Short mmCIF file of all heavy atoms in Angstrom, two decimals:
data_model
loop_
_atom_site.label_atom_id
_atom_site.label_comp_id
_atom_site.label_asym_id
_atom_site.label_seq_id
_atom_site.Cartn_x
_atom_site.Cartn_y
_atom_site.Cartn_z
N PHE D 229 233.65 -166.72 -2.92
CA PHE D 229 232.52 -166.35 -3.76
C PHE D 229 231.86 -167.59 -4.36
O PHE D 229 230.66 -167.61 -4.59
CB PHE D 229 232.96 -165.40 -4.86
CG PHE D 229 232.84 -163.96 -4.48
CD1 PHE D 229 233.96 -163.16 -4.32
CD2 PHE D 229 231.60 -163.39 -4.25
CE1 PHE D 229 233.85 -161.83 -3.95
CE2 PHE D 229 231.48 -162.07 -3.88
CZ PHE D 229 232.59 -161.29 -3.73
N GLU D 230 232.66 -168.65 -4.64
CA GLU D 230 232.09 -169.88 -5.17
C GLU D 230 231.16 -170.51 -4.14
O GLU D 230 230.09 -171.03 -4.48
CB GLU D 230 233.20 -170.85 -5.55
CG GLU D 230 232.71 -172.15 -6.19
CD GLU D 230 232.01 -171.92 -7.53
OE1 GLU D 230 232.27 -170.87 -8.15
OE2 GLU D 230 231.22 -172.77 -7.93
N VAL D 231 231.55 -170.47 -2.86
CA VAL D 231 230.69 -170.99 -1.81
C VAL D 231 229.38 -170.20 -1.74
O VAL D 231 228.29 -170.75 -1.64
CB VAL D 231 231.42 -170.93 -0.44
CG1 VAL D 231 230.44 -171.25 0.69
CG2 VAL D 231 232.57 -171.91 -0.42
N ALA D 232 229.51 -168.87 -1.82
CA ALA D 232 228.30 -168.04 -1.79
C ALA D 232 227.43 -168.32 -3.01
O ALA D 232 226.19 -168.36 -2.92
CB ALA D 232 228.68 -166.57 -1.73
N ARG D 233 228.07 -168.50 -4.18
CA ARG D 233 227.30 -168.79 -5.39
C ARG D 233 226.58 -170.13 -5.27
O ARG D 233 225.43 -170.29 -5.68
CB ARG D 233 228.24 -168.80 -6.61
CG ARG D 233 227.51 -168.86 -7.94
CD ARG D 233 228.48 -168.66 -9.08
NE ARG D 233 229.35 -169.80 -9.25
CZ ARG D 233 229.08 -170.83 -10.05
NH1 ARG D 233 227.96 -170.84 -10.75
NH2 ARG D 233 229.92 -171.83 -10.17
N TYR D 234 227.27 -171.10 -4.65
CA TYR D 234 226.63 -172.40 -4.42
C TYR D 234 225.40 -172.25 -3.52
O TYR D 234 224.36 -172.85 -3.76
CB TYR D 234 227.63 -173.36 -3.81
CG TYR D 234 226.98 -174.58 -3.17
CD1 TYR D 234 226.54 -175.65 -3.94
CD2 TYR D 234 226.77 -174.63 -1.79
CE1 TYR D 234 225.93 -176.74 -3.36
CE2 TYR D 234 226.15 -175.71 -1.20
CZ TYR D 234 225.73 -176.78 -1.99
OH TYR D 234 225.11 -177.84 -1.42
N ASP D 235 225.55 -171.44 -2.48
CA ASP D 235 224.41 -171.22 -1.58
C ASP D 235 223.21 -170.69 -2.35
O ASP D 235 222.06 -171.12 -2.14
CB ASP D 235 224.79 -170.24 -0.47
CG ASP D 235 225.71 -170.87 0.56
OD1 ASP D 235 225.81 -172.11 0.55
OD2 ASP D 235 226.31 -170.11 1.35
N LEU D 236 223.46 -169.75 -3.24
CA LEU D 236 222.36 -169.19 -4.02
C LEU D 236 221.77 -170.22 -4.98
O LEU D 236 220.56 -170.27 -5.20
CB LEU D 236 222.84 -167.95 -4.79
CG LEU D 236 223.11 -166.72 -3.93
CD1 LEU D 236 223.72 -165.62 -4.78
CD2 LEU D 236 221.84 -166.22 -3.29
N GLN D 237 222.64 -171.05 -5.57
CA GLN D 237 222.14 -172.10 -6.46
C GLN D 237 221.25 -173.08 -5.70
O GLN D 237 220.20 -173.49 -6.18
CB GLN D 237 223.31 -172.84 -7.10
CG GLN D 237 224.02 -172.05 -8.20
CD GLN D 237 225.14 -172.84 -8.82
OE1 GLN D 237 225.76 -173.68 -8.18
NE2 GLN D 237 225.44 -172.56 -10.07
N TYR D 238 221.71 -173.44 -4.48
CA TYR D 238 220.90 -174.37 -3.70
C TYR D 238 219.57 -173.74 -3.33
O TYR D 238 218.51 -174.39 -3.41
CB TYR D 238 221.65 -174.78 -2.44
CG TYR D 238 220.78 -175.61 -1.51
CD1 TYR D 238 220.50 -176.95 -1.79
CD2 TYR D 238 220.19 -175.03 -0.39
CE1 TYR D 238 219.68 -177.70 -0.98
CE2 TYR D 238 219.37 -175.78 0.44
CZ TYR D 238 219.11 -177.11 0.15
OH TYR D 238 218.29 -177.84 0.95
N CYS D 239 219.61 -172.48 -2.91
CA CYS D 239 218.35 -171.80 -2.55
C CYS D 239 217.43 -171.71 -3.76
O CYS D 239 216.22 -171.86 -3.63
CB CYS D 239 218.65 -170.40 -2.00
SG CYS D 239 219.40 -170.41 -0.37
N ASP D 240 218.01 -171.48 -4.94
CA ASP D 240 217.22 -171.40 -6.17
C ASP D 240 216.56 -172.76 -6.45
O ASP D 240 215.37 -172.86 -6.74
CB ASP D 240 218.11 -170.97 -7.33
CG ASP D 240 217.38 -170.95 -8.65
OD1 ASP D 240 216.64 -169.98 -8.89
OD2 ASP D 240 217.53 -171.90 -9.45
N TRP D 241 217.38 -173.84 -6.33
CA TRP D 241 216.84 -175.18 -6.57
C TRP D 241 215.76 -175.53 -5.54
O TRP D 241 214.70 -176.05 -5.88
CB TRP D 241 217.98 -176.20 -6.50
CG TRP D 241 217.52 -177.62 -6.57
CD1 TRP D 241 217.22 -178.34 -7.68
CD2 TRP D 241 217.29 -178.49 -5.45
NE1 TRP D 241 216.81 -179.60 -7.35
CE2 TRP D 241 216.84 -179.73 -5.98
CE3 TRP D 241 217.41 -178.35 -4.08
CZ2 TRP D 241 216.53 -180.81 -5.16
CZ3 TRP D 241 217.10 -179.42 -3.26
CH2 TRP D 241 216.66 -180.63 -3.80
N ARG D 242 216.03 -175.19 -4.26
CA ARG D 242 215.08 -175.50 -3.20
C ARG D 242 213.76 -174.76 -3.41
O ARG D 242 212.67 -175.33 -3.24
CB ARG D 242 215.70 -175.10 -1.85
CG ARG D 242 214.85 -175.32 -0.62
CD ARG D 242 214.68 -176.77 -0.29
NE ARG D 242 213.44 -177.31 -0.89
CZ ARG D 242 213.13 -178.59 -0.89
NH1 ARG D 242 213.96 -179.48 -0.37
NH2 ARG D 242 212.00 -178.99 -1.41
#
Side-chain angles (χ1 to χ4, degrees):
F229 269 113
E230 183 64 22
V231 171
R233 190 171 71 91
Y234 163 80
D235 287 346
L236 288 174
Q237 286 182 331
Y238 173 76
C239 288
D240 177 78
W241 174 82
R242 179 70 266 172

